């Protein structure tokens, strides 16, 4: 695999991701929830559920609403747009949004855009499919 450009971190391979299911990864020291929503499309939002304070968004239910690809929190069922992070249904609470990260594919490698190149060197060795699997444990 060629070395990713600065500002992008390889988090996993596309085949590590099950379509319509979330997976958690550590990117730049932050927990990110990855969702493979199409054959070759992956979306990334914060793993932290702003309503419950738990890192659970990767366990949310993927759906769609008015053309938007969405995830519903597994805690209190707030619905978010996976592309923009916007809260589409705050379930009676104040709307809070999810942070999003840009994602692109290089071959089958899934790359997440990070704020700076510095963190890449620190984080890249930590992130592997083992990280992804570890968060699936009950
Ligand atoms: S609440 Fe943060 S990892 Fe479970």
């Amino acid at each position: 695999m060629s070395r990713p450009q600065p500002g992008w971190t390889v988090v996993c391979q596309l085949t590590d991701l099950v379509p319509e299911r979330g997976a958690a990864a550590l990117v730049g020291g932050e927990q990110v929830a990855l969702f493979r929503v199409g054959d070759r499309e992956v979306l990334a939002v914060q793993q932290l559920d702003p309503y419950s304070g738990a890192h659970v968004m990767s366990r949310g239910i993927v759906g769609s609403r008015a053309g938007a690809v969405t995830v519903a929190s597994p805690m209190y069922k707030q619905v978010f747009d996976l592309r923009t992070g916007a809260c589409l249904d705050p379930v009676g609470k104040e709307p809070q949004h999810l942070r999003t990260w840009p994602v692109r594919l290089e071959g089958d490698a899934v790359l997440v855009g990070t704020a700076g190149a510095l963190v890449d060197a620190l984080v890249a060795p930590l992130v592997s499919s083992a990280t992804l699997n570890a968060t699936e444990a009950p």
Side-chain angles (χ1 to χ4, degrees), residues 6-7 114-123:
T114 49
L118 185 63
V119 290
D120 291 5
L122 300 171
V123 169

Side-chain angles (χ1 to χ4, degrees), residues 16-100:
D16 293 331
L17 301 174
V18 179
E20 313 284 302
R21 291 271 312 272
L26 194 60
V27 181
E30 293 196 62
Q31 294 189 45
V32 175
L34 300 171
F35 294 89
R36 182 176 175 182
V37 297
D39 199 35
R40 291 190 60 84
E41 183 172 18
V42 177
L43 300 172
V45 298
Q46 70 189 45
Q47 172 71 332
L48 178 69
D49 172 7
Y51 291 95
S52 68
H55 292 84
V56 294
M57 292 312 301
S58 65
R59 297 176 194 219
I61 304 296
V62 175
S64 64
R65 186 171 288 208
V69 185
T70 61
V71 63
S73 165
M75 302 299 282
Y76 304 128
K77 314 305 178 200
Q78 279 85 8
V79 176
F80 302 90
D81 184 324
L82 272 176
R83 287 185 213 286
T84 66
C87 184
L88 301 181
D89 182 357
V91 192
K93 300 273 174 55
E94 279 295 304
Q96 297 196 62
H97 303 324
L98 300 182
R99 182 180 169 192
T100 61

